[in-house]
Amino acid sequence: MPKIVDHRERRRSIATAACATVAEVGLERTTLAAVARRCALTTGAIAHYFPNKDALLDAALRESYRRQIERMDARVTDGASLETVMLESLPGSAESRELMQVWLAFWGRAIGDVATARAQRRVHALWLKRVTREIERAVASGRLPAAIDTSEEAEALIAQVRGLCIRALFEPANWPATRLAACLARYLDRVVVSADAASLPGRRRA
Amino acid sequence: MPKIVDHRERRRSIATAACATVAEVGLERTTLAAVARRCALTTGAIAHYFPNKDALLDAALRESYRRQIERMDARVTDGASLETVMLESLPGSAESRELMQVWLAFWGRAIGDVATARAQRRVHALWLKRVTREIERAVASGRLPAAIDTSEEAEALIAQVRGLCIRALFEPANWPATRLAACLARYLDRVVVSADAASLPGRRRA
Amino acid sequence: MPKIVDHRERRRSIATAACATVAEVGLERTTLAAVARRCALTTGAIAHYFPNKDALLDAALRESYRRQIERMDARVTDGASLETVMLESLPGSAESRELMQVWLAFWGRAIGDVATARAQRRVHALWLKRVTREIERAVASGRLPAAIDTSEEAEALIAQVRGLCIRALFEPANWPATRLAACLARYLDRVVVSADAASLPGRRRA
Amino acid sequence: MPKIVDHRERRRSIATAACATVAEVGLERTTLAAVARRCALTTGAIAHYFPNKDALLDAALRESYRRQIERMDARVTDGASLETVMLESLPGSAESRELMQVWLAFWGRAIGDVATARAQRRVHALWLKRVTREIERAVASGRLPAAIDTSEEAEALIAQVRGLCIRALFEPANWPATRLAACLARYLDRVVVSADAASLPGRRRA
DNA sequence: CATGAATGAGGTTTCATTCAT
DNA sequence: TATGAATGAAACCTCATTCAT
């Protein structure tokens, strides 16, 4: 019998190592040798699990997305508020910081690499669906007003979070979790308030 | 007898070519030869103007920032609204699309490359100052309420715009200029409305 | 308790798979993995039967030779003419085509690989002996004149057949079995006629 | 001004080095490093002249063909007989030996490599035309009878020569130039005699 | 015996950088 | 200054071989 190896599991562990490497040194310096070193293998061994580097990087992107969703789900199970759930995708902890660095790295890669761009769109579609569902839950719980386009709000919310994410990654000292949370809360508050205002007679902007 | 060349001007034209190349094929595939080809020079010629590739890329990032500011300034001179000014930094035109692709590319590069990260922070500081000034002008003109922290609002606004930018770059078909404008307008409206609400007696969220 | 396996038989089936692989993709692309796949084994299993790749390829060459002789013998048993027998070694059928591709592949390999060159010579010696015998039979049956050096004629005949073989492998559409047969018949006819001419008084070339 | 290099000439010298390497160690062991070493360059330098290894090998095949034609032409200019001209393409000298080894190597490569097979066919077509012309000259000079299909004879002659070539390459000791010449002369004599016989009343084979 | 994971040694290819002209 | 040939250092990839199970 051959050496007992869970192929699926091994693939995932290599992809995880790739994630960590990308987050640490960037895509440009992510070599197969570096990834192999991190999971105590050789480049040849990686070839058993991924036909080439692109396939490995693709798996790494998907893995980072999967872990991100997992983190969000864990919060949801806790019955947490929308803010708390979304905060999971901001670089507050070491893990989410790592995941967001991976996403950031792949955004740049998508320029001029159609395969990555496609993967990017696929992952975003899943992410959008997930965030939309959270917003729907928030509406259901009364946290957000009913008079909103949940899907459009999800896009806008994701945009806001991503933008903050970039800032937090580049200047972590200036963007502690508290500041991120405050910014996010303010954003959501305004969603509420503006919906209230729209439903009342009152002055509108010119 | 040295050939008469405007050193400053030549540097800029090379940096511009680098910008265009990065936007077209991505940082990963941006080679010196590709940049040289684009500005009808040779790699050896580039070596006269930049000590190495990193210096060239650094110049390209600064160049893209400079052009972005220029575009914003042009709108301000027109006496345009805050929305219109900020829209300039969303990929509506071919030029702004190119510039934003360059920024996106460099965000990824900043991971694990401290020099790029530093350059990134420097450029952001300038950008933030610029957007803050625009917000101050909007407050002065009554477009935005006075009761806001202009700098913090600038950060949030930049975050929102960047997030939309990423979406528009990846799925241009789904994000025409009109949708971007609508999203941006909604965002700014909420800034106004929430400030109004805060200044009035009324229900606040729990 | 070792599994019951006919070692000899297994070796042959692996060598046959190697032949087929070489004929299909060429020596250069013939990997152990490809051969293993073709005979539903693994590379490790092959290692039980051949100490290394060279040994396997050597066996493949011998196997292709053995099958070629077998085909010839089958014709001889039928009491076929020399033409018919030799035609068996031209790529008329799928099998002979495969065998000749293998030979062709190994000719190239013999350059700079003394072991293959040696094997090549060994196989040729056997082949020559076999063809010589067929020519002797043709002389005995009156098909060919007695006044020939059978061994030298065998060499020349093999040379002719090989040359045609190469053409037929590269441009099968231009070299159907009929054209090959016609060419071969013409060649043999000339052997007859020239011997006749030599035995008669008549004009010879200067 | 750049280093003065005749690009065309340099390409050819690299292709020549590739030929020599193939002839010496075989295609399998022909590495870019080996070729580079032979022409005192580095693998990187070769990349200036050939986009990849396949292109280099293709050039090598064409170069070997070109030199072969050149050798034949030199004989023709001498007013040599058909035998003498064709002998140039048999491994009599070190140079023709090298050239034929190259051809032999590429025959094997053509299996499973469509590009090489195509190149092979192209080169053969040119070679065939060349040999056909020589046969026509032989007919014109009375050396060969007029009643032959020159093109078909050319194919058959090439086949014969190729077959002898293979033998001479593998067992040079057994196939000195004299034996090759004798074999070729016998072959051509039979062409003459058989045509004579066909034009006379006489016994034909059953 | 058989498996197939893992190794490790090349090989090809790409490119920033240098430098003779 | 400008050229572009050449270098040399990676990087990716392939694969024969080994070996724990």
Side-chain angles (χ1 to χ4, degrees), chain D residues 63-83:
Chain D
E63 172 69 11
S64 74
Y65 161 74
R66 202 187 55 74
R67 280 168 60 194
Q68 185 71 348
I69 289 280
E70 231 171 44
R71 293 170 55 80
M72 184 183 260
D73 281 348
R75 284 297 177 201
V76 169
T77 308
D78 294 351
S81 69
L82 181 58
E83 277 103 326

Side-chain angles (χ1 to χ4, degrees), chain C residues 24 27 79 83 97 107 132 156:
Chain C
E24 186 180 334
L27 259 177
E83 276 103 326
R97 184 177 172 78
W107 290 335
T132 302

Side-chain angles (χ1 to χ4, degrees), chain A residues 154-164, chain B residues 159-160 162-164 167:
Chain A
E155 285 278 19
L157 177 56
I158 288 174
Q160 182 70 35
V161 167
R162 276 189 189 165
L164 293 176
Chain B
Q160 182 71 32
R162 276 189 188 164
L164 293 177
R167 293 292 296 135

Side-chain angles (χ1 to χ4, degrees), chain C residues 29 153 160 189-190 205, chain D residues 112 153 160 189-190 205:
Chain C
R29 297 183 192 171
E153 287 296 336
Q160 181 72 33
D189 277 355
R190 288 176 179 175
R205 77 177 173 103
Chain D
E153 288 295 335
Q160 181 71 34
D189 277 354
R190 288 175 179 176
R205 74 178 176 106

Side-chain angles (χ1 to χ4, degrees), chain B residues 31-198:
Chain B
T31 64
L32 287 182
V35 175
R37 206 178 313 125
R38 190 177 281 269
C39 51
L41 286 175
T42 61
T43 59
I46 291 181
H48 287 299
Y49 298 94
F50 298 95
N52 52 43
K53 193 185 182 185
D54 277 357
L56 169 58
L57 291 182
D58 190 61
L61 175 57
R62 289 171 195 285
E63 171 69 11
S64 74
Y65 161 74
R66 201 188 54 73
R67 280 168 61 194
Q68 185 70 347
I69 288 280
E70 230 171 44
R71 292 170 56 80
M72 185 182 260
D73 282 349
R75 282 298 177 200
V76 169
T77 308
D78 294 350
S81 69
L82 181 57
E83 276 103 327
T84 311
V85 171
M86 293 307 293
L87 270 176
E88 279 308 303
S89 69
L90 281 166
S93 67
E95 193 191 4
S96 67
R97 184 177 172 78
E98 176 185 313
L99 294 174
M100 297 323 294
Q101 280 175 317
V102 172
W103 287 29
L104 188 57
F106 277 96
W107 290 335
R109 182 180 163 86
I111 304 172
D113 181 47
V114 290
T116 301
R118 194 165 40 238
Q120 208 67 261
R121 281 190 291 270
R122 221 163 14 224
V123 165
H124 177 79
L126 296 167
W127 185 240
L128 177 64
K129 198 181 298 179
R130 210 56 192 65
V131 173
T132 302
R133 198 187 320 156
E134 291 315 308
I135 288 183
E136 283 164 357
R137 281 176 14 97
V139 168
S141 74
R143 169 65 181 90
L144 288 185
I148 57 174
D149 176 335
T150 53
S151 168
E152 195 73 4
E153 288 294 337
E155 285 277 21
L157 177 56
I158 289 174
Q160 182 71 32
V161 167
R162 276 189 188 164
L164 293 177
C165 199
I166 292 169
R167 293 292 296 135
L169 288 177
F170 284 152
E171 301 190 26
N174 285 342
W175 289 89
T178 51
R179 187 179 182 189
L180 290 170
C183 211
L184 188 56
R186 194 172 59 232
Y187 178 89
L188 290 175
D189 276 356
R190 288 176 180 176
V191 175
V192 176
V193 172
S194 69
D196 293 349

